[in-house]
Amino acid sequence: MKTEDDFFSDREWLRYQQEMEAKAKTENPPIETLPLKKVNELLNLDPRNQEAIERRSQLLKTNRAKRVSQVKQSNSNVIEKIKSKLSGGK
């Protein structure tokens, strides 16, 4: 990495710093934007990463809220079907 002494002017130095920050953001996006798979990989590397733990809990909450559970048939329909089968109906 270059230092401030490598540049002729402050403008070039500031431009270089901005480019490095932009590059770092694209290579390592913030945890708030990562999907669950990437967050789990981060937690495998460092289980004490508090930001990753919070992001994972948020993602799991939203996934649970979006999940659709299967609706069970009521017992009355099952009993009616058994009665109709026993009585010879279809």
Side-chain angles (χ1 to χ4, degrees):
M1 183 166 171
K2 297 181 180 181
T3 63
E4 190 173 359
D5 297 332
D6 296 335
F7 296 92
F8 294 112
S9 68
D10 290 335
R11 287 183 185 175
E12 290 178 3
W13 170 245
L14 291 175
R15 189 179 311 126
Y16 174 74
Q17 284 182 327
Q18 290 172 350
E19 288 173 0
M20 294 306 290
E21 288 174 4
K23 184 178 178 183
K25 285 182 182 178
T26 58
E27 289 177 356
N28 299 322
I31 290 180
E32 293 83 29
T33 61
L34 293 177
L36 185 60
K37 185 176 181 180
K38 297 285 184 179
V39 172
N40 285 335
E41 290 174 6
L42 286 176
L43 286 173
N44 286 338
L45 297 174
D46 182 18
R48 291 174 282 152
N49 187 345
Q50 191 63 31
E51 291 179 39
I53 292 170
E54 291 173 3
R55 174 66 177 160
R56 184 173 188 269
S57 67
Q58 289 173 351
L59 288 171
L60 291 176
K61 284 178 187 175
T62 56
N63 288 347
R64 285 185 191 122
K66 291 178 183 177
R67 186 182 307 152
V68 176
S69 60
Q70 293 181 350
V71 179
K72 295 182 180 179
Q73 288 184 337
S74 65
N75 290 337
S76 63
N77 290 339
V78 175
I79 293 172
E80 290 174 9
K81 287 181 181 179
I82 292 173
K83 285 181 181 178
S84 67
K85 294 281 184 178
L86 291 175
S87 65
K90 289 186 178 182

